[in-house]
Amino acid sequence: MPMFSTEGRTKTFQERGFPHAAYPTGWFQVGWSAAYGPGQVTAQSYFGQDLVVYRTEPEDRNPLGRIVALDAYCPHMGAHLAHGGSVEGSCLRCPYHGWLWDADGRNAQIPYGDRDSVNAHTRSWPVREVSGLVYLWHAADGSPPCWEPPHMPEADADDFYPPYPWAIHREPMRMHPQFAAENFPDLAHMRYVHRWEQIPDISLWQEDGPVLRVDYEGVISTPKGPVRVATENTAHGVGLNINRVSDGLRSTTLGAFTPIDQTHSEGFITVWVAKRDRQSREPDGLARSIAAANKQELFGPTADRRVWENQRYREHPLTVGYEAKYTRAFRSWSRQFYPEPVLAAPVNSDT
Ligand code: FES
Ligand SMILES: [Fe+2]
């Protein structure tokens, strides 16, 4: 018998109870530096927009070139600049009639007719490359960046393996970034989703503008028996979550969630695993198994993902004990990334 889904089309975040119509403000991952060769042009879609993302040719100030993200459709007659567009210096030439657009999105040249250029532009998005990751800035009101994405000391340290391309993964998920971010104050789920033997207690809660650090430790069940784990968790906005495990074999995981549209986000994971032997060049079996376990923890079918992809957002959750305090604290911190007023009532709310 074939199986039929009765769930119909994918619900939007608002239909799932999320009270903000605008995408959150902040830095969001869109890839890894090493994946963009010089002159490479890619089509991507985030924040409900089609984008063209490319790396410029080497420049005096940027010998490796820099990554540029523009709205995808040429202002002239609407060609998608990623499908056949070519990089010239820091500019992109449209495949349709050859108009040239600079890294700020301005028309730089028209190769025919009676004018050299026109006063027209396509939007250029703020981009950063930090510690081997590529980030895009999104602000609901179009304002420029007011903080920077995180620098990862592991990326410069010779006692960690570089994670690209063996300890990374990206995949669209049917969820809003806030769903993942709310794991920060949620210690009870560590017991039920992540196999911790007991619900841990928070030893540090530190808010610093767009950065929130939450530490806790406890005992986790592994196939080889119980292991004590201490974790440092740092959120940079609601789209970037860093988890540092300092006991046993050290590893650092950056989980990132970038809205694609009103139903999906792209999930990214990057895992820096410490070397047991500093001279080691290639990740050994243990390092690979740690990276694989971390990927599984985020993308596996029985992990957080199973909950997030089917979850309904509770604007007023039922909380017990310490949950109330931490959930309230987290939501009040994360409110800064949603500058618009809360919707009066989520669409199709059943609460
Ligand atoms: S559509 Fe791009 S140059 Fe004409
Ligand atoms: Fe989780």
Side-chain angles (χ1 to χ4, degrees):
M1 278 285 277
M3 298 285 286
F4 293 103
S5 165
T6 55
E7 290 185 296
R9 69 168 180 80
T10 307
K11 291 185 178 69
T12 65
F13 301 138
Q14 282 179 254
E15 286 169 336
R16 293 170 69 186
F18 197 63
H20 301 285
Y23 298 107
T25 292
W27 288 104
F28 293 86
Q29 191 181 353
V30 294
W32 294 272
S33 288
Y36 291 88
Q40 190 168 344
V41 182
T42 63
Q44 310 217 24
S45 296
Y46 294 111
F47 305 101
Q49 302 288 324
D50 293 328
L51 308 174
V52 52
V53 183
Y54 67 94
R55 186 182 288 285
T56 67
E57 291 174 350
E59 303 169 317
D60 289 347
R61 272 179 305 139
N62 297 290
L64 300 176
R66 67 192 149 116
I67 294 179
V68 175
L70 305 176
D71 277 359
Y73 298 104
C74 181
H76 178 220
M77 288 196 197
H80 192 303
L81 294 165
H83 294 280
S86 53
V87 175
E88 292 183 20
S90 60
C91 298
L92 190 59
R93 192 171 294 278
C94 178
Y96 207 5
H97 312 94
W99 292 29
L100 195 63
W101 303 93
D102 72 14
D104 294 324
R106 288 182 309 239
N107 180 236
Q109 187 210 18
I110 301 173
Y112 57 87
D114 56 356
R115 306 178 60 172
D116 292 342
S117 63
V118 287
N119 185 14
H121 73 278
T122 183
R123 175 169 39 163
S124 177
W125 295 61
V127 173
R128 298 281 191 276
E129 287 182 77
V130 184
S131 302
L133 277 67
V134 183
Y135 299 97
L136 202 65
W137 171 261
H138 172 266
D141 60 0
S143 52
C146 48
W147 42 283
E148 291 297 316
H151 170 253
M152 304 296 294
E154 293 84 352
D156 308 325
D158 63 1
D159 56 343
F160 280 85
Y161 291 108
Y164 192 90
W166 64 280
I168 60 154
H169 185 69
R170 67 192 291 177
E171 192 176 330
M173 297 164 87
R174 199 176 61 232
M175 55 174 281
H176 190 285
Q178 183 81 16
F179 296 6
E182 292 199 357
N183 266 201
F184 262 77
D186 185 346
L187 297 176
H189 99 288
M190 301 305 289
R191 166 86 177 78
Y192 296 95
V193 175
H194 301 295
R195 303 177 312 282
W196 287 48
E197 295 205 337
Q198 285 168 350
I199 297 173
D201 199 9
I202 286 176
S203 55
L204 177 74
W205 182 285
Q206 196 173 71
E207 296 175 21
D208 184 7
V211 180
L212 168 66
R213 164 123 171 234
V214 179
D215 292 359
Y216 48 83
E217 62 178 275
V219 176
I220 185 166
S221 309
T222 75
K224 293 189 179 148
V227 174
R228 173 157 284 281
V229 183
T231 74
E232 276 178 35
N233 305 280
T234 315
H236 293 252
V238 292
L240 305 174
N241 313 314
I242 299 165
N243 168 254
R244 286 191 171 85
V245 179
S246 51
D247 289 8
L249 224 185
R250 290 174 300 142
S251 69
T252 297
T253 302
L254 196 156
F257 299 89
T258 307
I260 295 170
D261 55 21
Q262 289 290 343
T263 61
H264 285 78
S265 301
E266 184 149 32
F268 296 84
I269 192 171
T270 307
V271 189
W272 288 266
V273 185
K275 298 175 179 176
R276 284 185 291 174
D277 168 6
R278 200 178 272 258
Q279 307 309 324
S280 164
R281 298 231 165 267
E282 287 295 313
D284 56 19
L286 181 61
R288 287 184 185 277
S289 70
I290 288 173
N294 278 298
K295 282 191 237 176
Q296 188 69 11
E297 205 71 0
L298 195 59
F299 292 100
T302 58
D304 284 310
R305 176 182 196 161
R306 175 169 67 179
V307 175
W308 295 335
E309 291 203 309
N310 298 292
Q311 183 178 4
R312 185 176 177 84
Y313 190 79
R314 295 291 188 203
E315 174 70 340
H316 303 288
L318 289 171
T319 49
V320 293
Y322 60 81
E323 273 180 356
K325 174 172 111 188
Y326 292 135
T327 303
R328 217 174 17 246
F330 185 85
R331 293 230 174 145
S332 113
W333 171 80
S334 68
R335 190 72 184 79
Q336 64 183 301
F337 308 108
Y338 301 94
E340 89 282 22
V342 174
L343 299 174
V347 179
N348 285 348
S349 175
D350 66 359
T351 54

